[in-house]
Amino acid sequence: MSGLFITFEGNDGSGKSTQAKLLKDYLSKQGFCVSLFREPGGTEISEKIRDIILDNAYYKMKHMTEAYLYAAARCQLVHEKIMPALKGGQIVICDRFLDSSLVYQGIGRGLGVDLIEDLNRYATGGLKPDLTFFLHLDPGEAMKRRIEERELDRMENQKAYFHNRVYRGFLEIAEREPMRIATIEANRPLEAISKEIAGLTDRFINERGL
Ligand code: TMP
């Protein structure tokens, strides 16, 4: 695969979506061909699945159903959009990817990281990000930002206990793969964060020679 696959991860409210957009703009200005997707979503089918997953009406959803729906949305996005873009030499930025399932469903819901990895092996075809930015923000602060932003969806509405588990899950995963996952302190001005991310991406591209 000749392109570059970059993902953004973090708790709800950590500011990763804003940073993903800023990185896209930065790289586009340098002349790279960049695609930005979000998970769950990014294709017509995956956006429909997103609507189901995040709908507060579906409070009866079983944890395994949730895990399958995220994997199904991912399968469609990977095969319809991400793989072709990478094969075409593009830079693909994804706002969340498999790490979110490992953390939210594997650790947060308690289904287990191994089970989620197995389930997603078929969805991703083994695709892994080259570089991941984990936006690190204290879960209490993230919660404050979420409440200020807008009406909360089904996942955001989970109890503080769940979001704390998710937070610890991200720390665990980032510690396990320090070569791929860069931890970025998110409790700083927007520009400081985007500058650090741009610098790390430049370095990665130079080392890899894209
Ligand atoms: P977003 O708010 O970043 O768009 O993500 C939607 C929600 O879905 C967010 O609460 C995180 C959650 N999520 C999972 O639980 N598992 C996953 O695999 C993904 C991609 C997201």
Side-chain angles (χ1 to χ4, degrees):
M1 197 103 29
S2 52
L4 179 65
F5 185 28
I6 301 173
T7 59
F8 281 77
E9 297 284 359
N11 276 76
D12 300 80
S14 61
K16 58 177 181 42
S17 305
T18 305
Q19 291 300 332
K21 285 192 199 97
L22 288 172
L23 182 64
K24 178 184 189 236
D25 293 346
Y26 174 77
L27 292 170
S28 300
K29 274 190 199 134
Q30 290 188 50
F32 289 108
C33 195
V34 189
S35 292
L36 170 63
F37 304 113
R38 69 170 179 181
E39 270 224 61
T43 73
E44 200 180 336
I45 293 168
S46 313
E47 289 290 334
K48 290 241 176 203
I49 298 174
R50 178 187 179 94
D51 290 343
I52 295 170
I53 297 175
L54 299 182
D55 192 333
N56 281 304
Y58 300 136
Y59 61 90
K60 286 185 189 162
M61 190 180 293
K62 299 291 177 201
H63 295 344
M64 268 310 284
T65 309
E66 185 182 286
Y68 274 119
L69 286 175
Y70 278 114
R74 180 166 300 129
C75 184
Q76 189 64 33
L77 176 63
V78 165
H79 292 94
E80 188 184 323
K81 298 273 179 81
I82 299 180
M83 294 276 209
L86 290 174
K87 279 189 187 136
Q90 286 191 30
I91 297 180
V92 173
I93 301 174
C94 208
D95 181 354
R96 296 195 184 280
F97 194 63
L98 175 60
D99 293 315
S100 277
S101 279
L102 298 179
V103 168
Y104 279 79
Q105 282 65 54
I107 297 172
R109 297 300 198 197
L111 292 175
V113 167
D114 290 348
L115 181 146
I116 299 299
E117 253 168 8
D118 284 349
L119 188 74
N120 275 275
R121 196 156 297 133
Y122 302 100
T124 63
L127 178 69
K128 277 199 93 172
D130 298 296
L131 180 61
T132 296
F133 294 110
F134 161 45
L135 277 283
H136 173 268
L137 187 64
D138 173 76
E141 177 60 28
M143 163 96 77
K144 228 165 62 191
R145 290 192 192 178
R146 282 200 299 277
I147 292 168
E148 281 164 9
E149 263 172 23
R150 60 194 157 83
E151 209 177 307
L152 301 182
D153 61 41
R154 192 181 66 84
M155 295 304 286
E156 290 166 330
N157 264 323
Q158 299 299 312
K159 298 205 163 51
Y161 169 74
F162 174 78
H163 290 289
N164 290 341
R165 278 174 72 118
V166 165
Y167 170 74
R168 285 198 300 275
F170 274 127
L171 290 180
E172 207 179 299
I173 289 210
E175 207 168 286
R176 212 179 295 167
E177 282 190 78
M179 295 301 286
R180 170 174 69 89
I181 305 178
T183 300
I184 307 290
E185 186 45 56
N187 201 6
R188 290 185 295 162
L190 212 85
E191 300 73 36
I193 301 171
S194 59
K195 208 169 156 198
E196 185 182 359
I197 289 173
L200 288 170
T201 307
D202 282 342
R203 204 171 75 194
F204 191 90
I205 289 174
N206 288 336
E207 279 170 14
R208 210 170 111 156
L210 196 76

